[in-house]
Amino acid sequence: MPGTDPLLLDEISLLLVWTAVAIYVLAFIAYAIDLARRSDLALKAKDQIVARELVTAGGGGVISSGSGAPASASSAKPRYLWARLGTVLTALGFVFHLVATVLRGVAAGRVPWSNMYEFALTGLLLIIAVYLVVLTRYDLRFLGSLMTGLAVLLLGGATLAFHVEVVPLADPLKSVWLVVHVFVASLATALFALAFGLSVVQLIQTRRERKLLDGPTDAETKRSFLRTVPNAEALESLAYRFAIVGFIFWTFTLIAGSIWANDAWGRFWGFDTKEVWTFVIWVLYAGYIHARATRGWRGTRSAWLSIIGFTAVLFNFTIVNVFFKGLHAYSGLTT
Amino acid sequence: MTDPLRPSDHADSTSDEVTQPRLGVVGWLRWGWRQLTSMRTALVLLLLLAIAAVPGSLVPQRTADPNGVTQYFTDNPDLAPVLDKLSLFDVYSSPWFSAIYLLLFISLIGCVLPRTKHHWKALRSQPPRTPARLSRLDDHRTRTIQVDADTDAVAAAAVESAAAQLRKSGYRVARYDSRGSFSVSAERGYLRETGNLLFHGALVGVLIAVGVGGGFTYTGQRVLVEGQAFSNSLLDYSSFNPGRFVGGDTLTPYSMTLDKFDVTYVPPGQPGSGQAGNFVAHVTTQTPGGDAQDGEVRVNHPLDVQGDRVYLLGNGYAPTVTIRDADGKEVFHDSVAFLPQDANMTSLGVIKVADGLPQQLGLLGFFYPTMDVLDSGALTSTYGALEYPTLTLRVYEGDLGIDDGTPRSVYTLDPSKMTQIAGGDSGNPAIQLMPGQTEDLPNGLGTITFENEAPPGAVGYEQSVKRFASLSIHRDLAGPWVLGFALLALFGLLAALFVPRRRMWVKATPRDGSVEIEYAGLARGEDPTLAAAVDQLADKHGATLPSQSHPDTGKVD
Ligand code: HEM
């Protein structure tokens, strides 16, 4: 009896994962439509303000109740209905995703991050969670399609390619460091992901800004969601803020990992493949932070480093886990 | 004046000095040093370091995976020597990798030392003079209070209370009163630069601790069969890797006996069936003159003995074999560790009988804890526990090649000077035994027995074969230092990245019947919360002012 229980739980969990993926697909679509429509809305909103100001000016003392000015101020900010729908859907998908992850943990009787499938499950859960939390402070919904797109691709892909039954943990994994080290690494990944998204948009925005500076107003009238997005400098400093928090977590991951390695394998550091890549990523982001402070490197070049850094993170998670030989053979996939 | 010192190509640096060297050796040297300690060089070296580390994950490394290297040489006989010339099997000790990180650290030290000196001075200096026109700063608030009495006194008091308030929130303050206005200049966030210097300094600490500490570190390996003991001395290790400063006499004397080795296997039919886990080596340690102590060595839980740490590296079966000559006299009796070859513990081992028989005898054995026969007729093991233990042996007769003093691994047999007399094409079948069974050796040489080690009355095969544990004993003096510096780096980093560094000014200017109070803040570096901080300062300070005051503006830009 206790043997069938976990299997059933895992099956339910899997069903929920697919539901979450489906909802993320819908969220992705909503966000994509939002991006496509944004410039229109922004233009219209601008027109509206202009129109209202004209009305107020022309109407003399007609609007004197005091409600006029605040009303125009609040409607000046266009309301992105599709983006809002996208966020609602993302949050809904997140709930399913969360329950699925918890169930997987219950089925396994341990934390749900100890093989490739579970790393993906928890890692993407954190990416979406960080994204949703950040939304309460900054309007980053223009990253919505990127984030949900990432979730759909990686979560769907990982579930197809990496899903394995719940099996007992291998001895080296039975450690509190599994809980701490892997969780913090996933958290760092989530922050790097957000920084990555912002850096990508920053690059596109920089291109647009440069065109605006160069050419006549031809580009200005071109409709693009970019006109509703913060300028490149703001994007860059936001990306930087997420990246440095991620970097702190990654530094901690590195330290916690070597303490664990010392317990499990009797040495802090041995340049095992996974250790090499953790180090490479750390150095890349240290480079990114330096680049931000180096004349001639701030802006586009440092944005590229953020992108390269996150590419290395993804590479570390996918290719290194599956194809590289090493002590960290915990993908749970038998070769 | 109190800005942290930065390399001249730092993004915030204002020095646009021409970097052309003045003629002469000293000029060139100075120029070179400036290049080496510039931000750009640090950045390029960091990126180079990242790139240079990658090949070590693509090609097997001697330190991490020596067998992988050997395999690579067999698989790529042409390519491997070339890669070896380029140190690609020892990337992390290669000249080019070392060059990169040494240059990086020289640059680091060259960068950090002058900054530390500068920062030390800055820590003792006064916050800078209040700018003449505070309203030119981005974050600026103004309020005017109506005053009937002595405006000068009110202004002075307001600035005094602002100074007290700022001091209380951790600012360093200085008063700058001049004719016509009173002001306080405040600065905080020196911890940011302290953190930055601490971080970079701690990295040097990590490097030194690893480099020097490694010299005081030793690791030794030893295989123990259940019931066996070893003593902590050079002679008793099967391999020993001392650091540069470790002598044989530095080992703490103690002995350790492996009483029992436990392992569990997931039974068939369950998810993960056959998976081994819960490895425990039960040991007894004894120090000279001390009491015997029981201990456990488990994965993730090394055992501390007299400052050494004992790790469990591996385990396996050690079949006990007795060989007798034609007269029935015992010539060999030992439990021999067999190395596991797969997850179901198919194990390979070598038995060497050097004396007592007409010629030396070598036996190459396979052990299957749960033997099964494949369709091809080959034997295999289908489960790691002792369900149907079977030992098969090929026998070689001749010269073991151990008499000339060349060291030979106990796990390999060199049959080049031997003749196979059982198994393979020898004409005799390989010997196949289960615990408790005895067979004749070929050519009337004698007999061989696979001893059953189970206690009398035991049922089944569960305890019929002894196990061994492969232990690794470490003394690591570097570890705590490395960890200490790493944590220092982490704390330094937290301060360097998150402590806001800013200046604040409060200035009170007496006017006719009123006093104008200005609040302004200036960020030094990344500081997203500055505007809020200025607001807070203005609000809090406003509450202490005479009640007839009224804010002029929320924001004056
Ligand atoms: C082992 C090599 C190095 C690593 C891993 C490293 C890492 C870092 C990190 C993580 C930061 C951000 C934390 C902070 O702002 O304090 C930083 C900042 C900084 N590093 Fe390094 N660094 C290294 C070498 C160097 C070298 C050689 C220099 C001198 C040229 C240098 C100069 C600086 C400076 C000036 C900052 C402050 C940047 C700012 O103003 O934001 N670093 N470094």
Side-chain angles (χ1 to χ4, degrees):
Chain A
M1 244 194 4
T4 59
D5 233 0
L7 277 180
L8 186 66
L9 281 181
D10 184 39
E11 244 163 64
I12 301 174
S13 162
L14 204 55
L15 207 65
L16 292 175
V17 169
W18 283 119
T19 315
V21 170
I23 301 176
Y24 287 150
V25 170
L26 294 179
F28 172 78
I29 295 173
Y31 276 132
I33 295 178
D34 165 60
L35 286 187
R37 291 170 45 105
R38 259 180 189 231
S39 51
D40 264 4
L41 280 176
L43 281 179
K44 271 193 203 125
K46 213 168 162 192
D47 292 349
Q48 260 173 19
I49 302 173
V50 175
R52 195 163 308 174
E53 274 165 1
L54 286 176
V55 168
T56 337
V62 179
I63 306 170
S64 56
S65 61
S67 67
S72 80
S74 75
S75 67
K77 224 174 131 204
R79 300 164 77 197
Y80 305 121
L81 281 179
W82 282 100
R84 200 175 275 186
L85 181 64
T87 306
V88 169
L89 285 170
T90 309
L92 186 68
F94 174 77
V95 172
F96 279 88
H97 190 169
L98 177 69
V99 177
T101 312
V102 170
L103 274 188
R104 172 76 183 191
V106 173
R110 52 167 164 75
V111 290
W113 51 82
S114 65
N115 56 46
M116 278 287 277
Y117 167 64
E118 293 173 359
F119 297 150
L121 198 60
T122 305
L124 288 157
L125 186 76
L126 285 174
I127 290 187
I128 297 293
V130 168
Y131 166 70
L132 287 174
V133 167
V134 166
L135 273 194
T136 62
R137 285 204 51 196
Y138 307 96
D139 184 6
L140 298 186
R141 289 177 298 179
F142 56 88
L143 287 182
S145 50
L146 198 87
M147 291 295 137
T148 50
L150 206 66
V152 169
L153 270 181
L154 289 179
L155 187 57
T159 311
L160 280 181
F162 304 143
H163 179 263
V164 286
E165 282 187 341
V166 171
V167 297
L169 277 187
D171 266 25
L173 287 180
K174 290 178 192 152
S175 164
V176 284
W177 293 112
L178 170 68
V179 182
V180 180
H181 165 80
V182 179
F183 184 79
V184 176
S186 309
L187 209 53
T189 304
L191 288 155
F192 287 152
L194 220 51
F196 159 78
L198 286 164
S199 297
V200 170
V201 181
Q202 178 201 333
L203 284 182
I204 309 176
Q205 186 72 296
T206 307
R207 240 189 55 195
R208 175 171 169 272
E209 285 171 3
R210 217 171 275 153
K211 269 202 198 128
L212 281 181
L213 275 183
D214 289 356
T217 47
D218 183 31
E220 166 68 11
T221 47
K222 224 169 99 186
R223 321 212 136 167
S224 149
F225 75 94
L226 289 168
R227 54 186 312 142
T228 68
V229 163
N231 64 25
E233 210 185 314
L235 288 169
E236 175 176 9
S237 81
L238 207 55
Y240 176 74
R241 241 175 276 168
F242 290 126
I244 58 177
V245 182
F247 183 74
I248 295 271
F249 285 144
W250 198 260
T251 309
F252 179 84
T253 302
L254 205 70
I255 297 175
S258 25
I259 297 176
W260 186 7
N262 189 41
D263 282 349
W265 302 319
R267 87 282 184 292
F268 287 99
W269 194 264
F271 282 110
D272 177 61
T273 45
K274 199 79 185 168
E275 291 168 345
V276 170
W277 278 92
T278 307
F279 174 74
V280 167
I281 290 164
W282 188 77
V283 175
L284 280 175
Y285 276 98
Y288 165 74
I289 294 175
H290 271 217
R292 275 262 314 164
T294 306
R295 196 176 296 154
W297 279 75
R298 185 168 273 193
T300 304
R301 285 193 191 178
S302 75
W304 274 111
L305 280 181
S306 154
I307 292 169
I308 293 172
F310 188 66
T311 313
V313 170
L314 284 185
F315 183 81
N316 187 27
F317 169 68
T318 52
I319 311 291
V320 175
N321 273 357
V322 180
F323 295 111
F324 284 33
K325 200 179 140 203
L327 287 170
H328 287 75
Y330 302 131
S331 64
L333 312 170
T334 39
T335 43
Chain B
M1 195 25 213
T2 47
D3 263 347
L5 184 68
R6 297 294 198 221
S8 58
D9 63 339
H10 187 280
D12 291 341
S13 167
T14 46
S15 63
D16 262 325
E17 52 194 293
V18 187
T19 45
Q20 278 302 312
R22 269 178 299 138
L23 289 181
V25 180
V26 178
W28 278 103
L29 281 178
R30 197 172 275 160
W31 178 82
W33 180 248
R34 183 139 4 100
Q35 293 307 305
L36 184 61
T37 58
S38 71
M39 292 295 285
R40 200 171 306 120
T41 307
L43 174 56
V44 168
L45 287 172
L46 275 171
L47 297 183
L48 273 181
L49 186 71
I51 295 169
V54 171
S57 71
L58 304 174
V59 179
Q61 297 296 295
R62 286 215 169 82
T63 45
D65 183 15
N67 296 334
V69 177
T70 318
Q71 189 62 40
Y72 200 93
F73 268 86
T74 353
D75 293 349
N76 310 282
D78 296 329
L79 186 59
V82 180
L83 297 188
D84 202 14
K85 278 248 165 57
L86 298 171
S87 308
L88 277 167
F89 299 109
D90 311 277
V91 165
Y92 306 103
S93 52
S94 68
W96 42 275
F97 191 81
S98 311
I100 295 174
Y101 78 76
L102 286 177
L103 274 177
L104 185 59
F105 274 90
I106 292 172
S107 165
L108 176 63
I109 293 167
C111 175
V112 159
L113 281 185
R115 280 170 53 198
T116 310
K117 195 173 143 217
H118 180 91
H119 186 54
W120 182 250
K121 276 198 205 133
L123 280 175
R124 296 133 175 277
S125 66
Q126 294 248 318
R129 214 159 243 301
T130 311
R133 302 258 291 282
L134 283 181
S135 54
R136 284 164 82 176
L137 296 170
D138 275 352
D139 288 288
H140 176 250
R141 317 275 182 274
T142 321
R143 99 167 0 111
T144 312
I145 51 177
Q146 309 298 330
V147 186
D148 311 324
D150 183 358
T151 47
D152 272 11
V154 172
V159 166
E160 191 50 49
S161 79
Q165 185 186 327
L166 283 164
R167 204 177 294 122
K168 236 171 94 187
S169 11
Y171 283 83
R172 201 107 59 76
V173 300
R175 287 286 299 270
Y176 290 104
D177 297 343
S178 62
R179 221 158 37 83
S181 77
F182 301 84
S183 73
V184 55
S185 168
E187 189 165 29
R188 60 159 290 165
Y190 287 81
L191 191 58
R192 191 184 185 93
E193 178 72 354
T194 311
N196 181 304
L197 294 171
L198 185 66
F199 169 76
H200 287 91
L203 289 187
V204 181
V206 169
L207 190 73
I208 292 178
V210 169
V212 175
F216 293 99
T217 296
Y218 63 76
T219 62
Q221 276 77 40
R222 173 65 206 235
V223 166
L224 278 185
V225 178
E226 284 173 325
Q228 265 184 3
F230 95 106
S231 64
N232 189 29
S233 70
L234 282 186
L235 286 178
D236 240 11
Y237 281 110
S238 44
S239 75
F240 191 76
N241 315 307
R244 203 169 312 150
F245 313 119
V246 177
D249 50 347
T250 48
L251 304 195
T252 330
Y254 61 83
S255 70
M256 177 178 286
T257 311
L258 177 66
D259 302 320
K260 194 164 177 315
F261 187 85
D262 283 338
V263 48
T264 57
Y265 293 93
V266 178
Q270 287 185 17
S273 85
Q275 188 182 316
N278 301 318
F279 305 102
V280 193
H282 300 273
V283 297
T284 308
T285 51
Q286 170 96 52
T287 50
D291 287 333
Q293 276 197 325
D294 288 341
E296 282 181 3
V297 187
R298 289 184 288 141
V299 182
N300 271 324
H301 301 277
L303 179 70
D304 278 304
V305 185
Q306 303 288 309
D308 284 4
R309 288 183 109 192
V310 184
Y311 291 87
L312 184 59
L313 278 198
N315 72 96
Y317 290 102
T320 310
V321 172
T322 308
I323 294 173
R324 292 187 173 79
D325 66 11
D327 302 328
K329 194 173 138 239
E330 187 177 293
V331 292
F332 179 91
H333 174 82
D334 203 358
S335 303
V336 182
F338 275 43
L339 298 182
Q341 307 294 309
D342 62 24
N344 288 324
M345 302 297 286
T346 302
S347 309
L348 182 61
V350 168
I351 297 168
K352 294 178 184 177
V353 186
D355 305 301
L357 293 174
Q359 290 191 63
Q360 290 184 328
L361 214 58
L363 297 94
L364 187 64
F366 276 94
F367 177 68
Y368 311 92
T370 301
M371 190 272 278
D372 203 354
V373 187
L374 293 173
D375 290 341
S376 65
L379 303 189
T380 184
S381 175
T382 53
Y383 190 53
L386 296 166
E387 296 284 331
Y388 195 79
T390 304
L391 178 66
T392 66
L393 298 148
R394 291 182 214 163
V395 185
Y396 297 81
E397 198 179 29
D399 180 5
L400 284 169
I402 54 179
D403 297 332
D404 57 0
T406 346
R408 301 257 183 233
S409 163
V410 292
Y411 300 109
T412 55
L413 183 70
D414 173 14
S416 55
K417 291 189 207 146
M418 307 189 88
T419 340
Q420 188 164 4
I421 55 172
D425 305 327
S426 65
N428 295 317
I431 296 170
Q432 184 168 336
L433 297 163
M434 290 189 70
Q437 293 181 345
T438 303
E439 286 272 354
D440 284 338
L441 289 168
N443 309 342
L445 283 172
T447 61
I448 176 164
T449 308
F450 180 12
E451 304 287 354
N452 188 337
E453 296 279 2
V459 189
Y461 286 110
E462 203 181 319
Q463 299 176 67
S464 59
V465 183
K466 284 191 181 182
R467 291 171 181 277
F468 74 86
S470 132
L471 301 176
S472 181
I473 292 96
H474 297 200
R475 159 88 45 160
D476 186 0
L477 294 179
W481 289 93
V482 176
L483 182 62
F485 280 120
L487 289 179
L488 269 187
L490 186 63
F491 288 123
L493 196 58
L494 279 170
L497 291 176
F498 297 118
V499 171
R501 193 172 126 66
R502 57 172 75 123
R503 291 189 188 143
M504 294 279 208
W505 292 279
V506 179
K507 183 167 166 187
T509 318
R511 304 234 189 271
D512 228 6
S514 70
V515 174
E516 185 191 63
I517 305 180
E518 291 169 280
Y519 306 90
L522 181 65
R524 320 296 294 147
E526 214 78 28
D527 187 359
T529 55
L530 179 68
V534 176
D535 281 340
Q536 207 189 1
L537 171 70
D539 290 347
K540 219 171 140 200
H541 186 242
T544 67
L545 292 173
S547 56
Q548 64 271 57
S549 71
H550 68 87
D552 267 4
T553 42
K555 233 176 210 181
V556 175
D557 291 8

